[in-house]
Amino acid sequence: MLFLGFSAGLPFMLVFATLTAWLREFDVSRTAIGFFSWVGITYSIKFIWSPVVDRLPLPGLTRWLGRRRAWILLGQIGIAAGLTGMAFTDPQAALWPIALCALLVAFSSATQDVAIDAFRIESDIDRYQGALAAAYQMGYRMAILASYTGALYLAEILNWQLAYLTMAALVGVGMVTVMLRPEPLPCVDRISAGREPRAAAFAERHAELPGWARQAGAWLVGAVVCPVTDFFGRYGRFALIMLGLVASFRITDIAMASMANPLYIDLGYSKAVIANISGAYGLAMTIIGALLGGALTARFGLLRPLLAGAILAAATNLLFAWMAGQGGATWALVLTISADNLSGGIAGSVFIAWLSSLTSTTYTATQYALFSSLMTLPGKFLSGFGGLVVDTLNYPVFFIISAVMGLPAIFLIMIIMRYASRRETVDAEPLRNGQ
């Protein structure tokens, strides 16, 4: 899982932050760079084709490697091909080739993620899942360092073509892992067992439909309808408020992400400085923030740290607006990255814990997948317009707007805190009356 985590994390920055630095250095317009961030929507909608990855055998590959490893390898082949294609494109000549290659990388990476998650869950008994997930996250963070800090160093010392070719070669780490490790044994878990009766009932009620239509409908009932109705059944109309927070909490930091590296380049920071401060140092601050967020949650519960995280996430965007007027001072970059990544780590860890608390144990995987997609999709869509705002206005105005986008999340958390407080009061009333 350490090596598969590395394989999963490697493509992510190469179609986001690293790519934006490359494009801006070649004087691609910020408007075009902003629209490139829409490639990331692929990660937010991967649940759409996850049933295909889950059930469709690949000719030749599945018989040779098994269901999970076949799809993982296919995703890795697509990633390596896309990165190689990006290496041999010239952003100054045409943007469509690099956009298509980046889309291939993102789609293949999202497909690989679906298959790796299934591989991990099926690979061992429940008591080892924590260790497998930890190893996966460690590998993922190592890949982020390689594909952002490492790629920027290679581009500084050599050139962008060799940097991306090196990253394509590193996909081989995951390929070798797939070849050497055995396919996990298929099993029917309690989630599948819990939803099969509903799926079977749908198929029985619609016997007049063709077989493929009954199967598709039964899958939708078990995989989509039941988890959604379960969530609304537990929270009623207030579920809309919670979904509103899921959709808005990450908008402020995701929306600004597409313009962070172009800002660094335009302020004159070298790729080595960006790699050191925004990459390695920023990752360290994120990890510290995540640990701090976990400690705050243990001490104060979920909602108060969640509110603090939302306020910090919005406020630190104002630092980017301030940094844009500092003329490329290194200390300004260090201060901004410190505050932004520390607050991002706090907000991220607390928000993930809150999302996890919303899921039902019967539909954990499906509900969390839907939550995580809703969490990132609005911000990624809005980030595509970031370059247009910067080119039309300027960097400070853009980052101020992105900070204001965090206000709805703060407001919704306050509503949820009042709702939780009232529920605690109602639940405690029978105890006060001796019942």
Side-chain angles (χ1 to χ4, degrees), residues 296-367:
L296 290 173
T297 301
R299 176 66 178 84
F300 298 105
L302 285 172
L303 291 180
R304 282 189 287 175
L306 192 67
L307 178 61
I311 294 172
L312 288 172
T316 51
N317 278 15
L318 298 176
L319 281 176
F320 283 89
W322 165 80
M323 185 182 70
Q326 300 307 306
T330 302
W331 64 269
L333 179 62
V334 172
L335 177 61
T336 302
I337 293 298
S338 298
D340 182 62
N341 287 45
L342 186 68
S343 65
I346 294 171
S349 63
V350 176
F351 189 57
I352 289 172
W354 181 73
L355 280 184
S356 300
S357 73
L358 299 184
T359 60
S360 165
T361 55
T362 307
Y363 303 106
T364 306
T366 302
Q367 287 183 346

Side-chain angles (χ1 to χ4, degrees), residues 1-11 13 134-151 167 170 173 279-280 283 287:
M1 289 314 302
L2 180 73
F3 295 135
L4 289 180
F6 183 88
S7 182
L10 189 69
M13 301 301 281
Y136 175 88
Q137 288 296 325
M138 186 180 298
Y140 199 98
R141 294 298 180 183
M142 292 168 61
I144 294 295
L145 276 176
S147 59
Y148 185 57
T149 304
M167 297 300 113
L170 286 178
V173 171
L283 178 60
I287 293 173

Side-chain angles (χ1 to χ4, degrees), residues 164-178:
Y164 268 75
L165 285 175
T166 302
M167 297 300 113
L170 286 178
V171 179
V173 171
M175 292 180 174
V176 172
T177 304
V178 168

Side-chain angles (χ1 to χ4, degrees), residues 29-302:
S29 74
R30 288 166 296 213
T31 298
I33 293 173
F35 290 137
F36 260 86
S37 67
W38 281 347
V39 169
I41 292 177
T42 309
Y43 289 92
S44 298
I45 60 174
K46 61 186 177 184
F47 66 90
I48 294 175
W49 65 90
S50 60
V52 176
V53 177
D54 194 31
R55 301 189 180 191
L56 184 68
L58 295 172
L61 278 180
T62 298
R63 180 175 297 179
W64 175 36
L65 296 173
R67 180 174 51 164
R68 302 309 183 193
R69 292 194 299 158
W71 277 102
I72 295 173
L73 182 62
L74 182 64
Q76 292 166 345
I77 292 171
I79 293 167
L83 292 177
T84 302
M86 292 173 72
F88 287 102
T89 58
D90 181 2
Q92 292 178 311
L95 289 179
W96 278 111
I98 197 169
L100 291 175
C101 289
L103 183 60
L104 174 60
V105 172
F107 179 79
S108 301
S109 175
T111 302
Q112 179 192 223
D113 288 350
V114 173
I116 289 178
D117 285 340
F119 182 96
R120 172 177 54 81
I121 292 169
E122 295 176 358
S123 284
D124 224 319
I125 58 177
D126 288 347
R127 66 192 176 111
Y128 293 124
Q129 283 299 320
L132 294 176
Y136 175 88
Q137 288 296 325
M138 186 180 298
Y140 199 98
R141 294 298 180 183
M142 292 168 61
I144 294 295
L145 276 176
S147 59
Y148 185 57
T149 304
L152 288 175
Y153 266 117
L154 287 173
E156 178 80 8
I157 298 170
L158 302 171
N159 55 56
W160 283 108
Q161 182 184 62
L162 290 176
Y164 268 75
L165 285 175
T166 302
M167 297 300 113
L170 286 178
V171 179
V173 171
M175 292 180 174
V176 172
T177 304
V178 168
M179 298 295 184
L180 294 180
R181 300 310 306 152
E183 176 77 0
L185 296 175
C187 62
V188 179
D189 60 17
R190 68 180 188 277
I191 297 174
S192 298
R195 68 187 180 214
E196 281 305 321
R198 297 180 178 89
F202 175 90
E204 290 176 2
R205 289 196 306 270
H206 297 84
E208 75 282 359
L209 295 176
W212 65 268
R214 288 200 307 273
Q215 291 179 358
W219 180 87
L220 284 173
V221 169
V224 179
V225 176
C226 289
V228 172
T229 55
D230 167 82
F231 181 69
F232 278 89
R234 285 185 288 122
Y235 294 104
R237 288 180 296 178
F238 198 78
L240 295 174
I241 299 293
M242 294 183 168
L243 291 177
L245 178 57
V246 173
S248 62
F249 188 85
R250 294 289 309 278
I251 281 182
T252 185
D253 55 343
I254 294 178
M256 59 78 67
S258 63
M259 287 297 106
N261 271 337
L263 172 64
Y264 305 152
I265 296 294
D266 288 345
L267 287 176
Y269 295 111
S270 70
K271 291 187 287 293
V273 169
I274 298 171
N276 287 333
I277 299 175
S278 179
Y281 175 73
L283 178 60
M285 295 302 293
T286 300
I287 293 173
I288 293 172
L291 294 173
L292 183 58
L296 290 173
T297 301
R299 176 66 178 84
F300 298 105
L302 285 172

Side-chain angles (χ1 to χ4, degrees), residues 423-435:
R423 286 194 62 175
E424 289 177 0
T425 301
V426 171
D427 292 341
E429 195 63 35
L431 297 177
R432 295 194 188 101
N433 295 332
Q435 298 178 11

